[in-house]
Amino acid sequence: MLSSIVVEVFWCELKSYRVSYFTRANMVIWVLQALGGWKDELAYCELLLKDDIFNNSAWNQRYFVVTRSPLLGGLGAMRESEVTCTVNAIMEHPENESPWRYLRGLYRNDTQALVQDPQVASVCLKILTAKNNYVHALSMLLDLLCHGFQPSLEIRNAVYGLSDSGAQGSDLVKVVCSILELVDPMRANYWKWRRNMAPAQAAQCLKDDGLTGLSL
């Protein structure tokens, strides 16, 4: 576990700006590529996340290992198990943005797989139904909708349940954006822009991905 030697040097600095993520990551990457030591690296990432599931640097390192390790078979071979692991992390702390970003990364350059994977829609539904810490679930659902995802009645009702009674039957993308404008005020202008751009975004995504009639 050669990279762990490097990380141990900065163990007390993992959450400090004195040693940036890029400095740590570049050193770990150099060690792995130059000297090897891939064997225990994924397990070490799991230890870091067990210690602090909010450790974004550990999530980034895990993605590097999953996608670059010559021992794991690449993202295609690891995706199913990694999605399951990530969904579990999301269910534990749905307010944690890092696993949501990691989940998107697992489908990099394969939007169709993201839309079609039932685990993704399922975790969104569970978080939305719980009505607690659902900002990132709504954001993920918005991305799915803009890529041709056809939501079930359960998902529609879960979203409408987060809005006012007058939203029932309204365009779901606009309802999602309107809710996000209220519950995520720091990015209200961004969600307003997404709401206004929704028709054009949906048309472009469908053109790019060729996704029609998909439902999970």
Side-chain angles (χ1 to χ4, degrees):
M1 191 158 47
L2 290 175
S3 67
S4 66
I5 298 174
V6 176
V7 177
E8 287 293 344
V9 174
F10 301 111
W11 180 255
C12 294
E13 307 289 344
L14 280 174
K15 298 180 181 178
S16 171
Y17 289 105
R18 286 177 289 176
V19 178
S20 70
Y21 161 71
F22 295 102
T23 300
R24 293 192 302 272
N26 287 336
M27 292 188 70
V28 171
I29 290 170
W30 179 85
V31 169
L32 289 171
Q33 292 183 330
L35 304 178
W38 292 98
K39 182 179 178 181
D40 300 313
E41 189 61 26
L42 184 58
Y44 189 70
C45 291
E46 291 175 353
L47 285 176
L48 292 177
L49 290 172
K50 184 177 181 180
D51 178 68
D52 180 8
I53 198 65
F54 290 86
N55 185 344
N56 190 60
S57 296
W59 283 104
N60 287 333
Q61 178 63 12
R62 185 184 184 105
Y63 187 79
F64 171 78
V65 173
V66 167
T67 56
R68 302 289 288 276
S69 172
L71 305 179
L72 298 178
L75 184 55
M78 294 293 294
R79 179 181 286 156
E80 184 175 355
S81 60
E82 286 299 292
V83 169
T84 299
C85 173
T86 307
V87 166
N88 290 336
I90 288 173
M91 290 302 300
E92 185 177 353
H93 292 286
E95 76 279 12
N96 184 5
E97 188 172 9
S98 294
W100 288 100
R101 288 180 176 272
Y102 186 81
L103 184 60
R104 285 182 172 88
L106 293 175
Y107 299 92
R108 186 177 182 182
N109 300 323
D110 195 355
T111 306
Q112 184 173 1
L114 173 67
V115 174
Q116 291 180 324
D117 193 329
Q119 291 189 84
V120 179
S122 177
V123 71
C124 288
L125 176 59
K126 290 176 181 177
I127 301 302
L128 295 176
T129 302
K131 297 185 178 182
N132 188 36
N133 295 320
Y134 52 79
V135 168
H136 300 308
L138 279 177
S139 176
M140 175 65 79
L141 177 59
L142 178 60
D143 288 345
L144 294 177
L145 292 170
C146 287
H147 284 91
F149 172 65
Q150 298 298 312
S152 65
L153 181 60
E154 285 182 299
I155 290 180
R156 288 182 176 275
N157 288 338
V159 173
Y160 293 142
L162 299 174
S163 185
D164 55 66
S165 57
Q168 192 77 22
S170 302
D171 179 84
L172 196 62
V173 169
K174 293 185 178 180
V175 174
V176 169
C177 290
S178 295
I179 297 172
L180 284 168
E181 287 178 49
L182 295 175
V183 299
D184 188 17
M186 289 292 291
R187 294 186 289 181
N189 288 336
Y190 170 72
W191 299 123
K192 183 177 181 180
W193 175 81
R194 288 290 300 267
R195 176 163 53 86
N196 293 334
M197 292 295 294
Q201 287 178 333
Q204 185 61 46
C205 288
L206 289 172
K207 178 181 178 181
D208 292 342
D209 300 319
L211 304 178
T212 56
L214 296 175
S215 179
L216 301 182

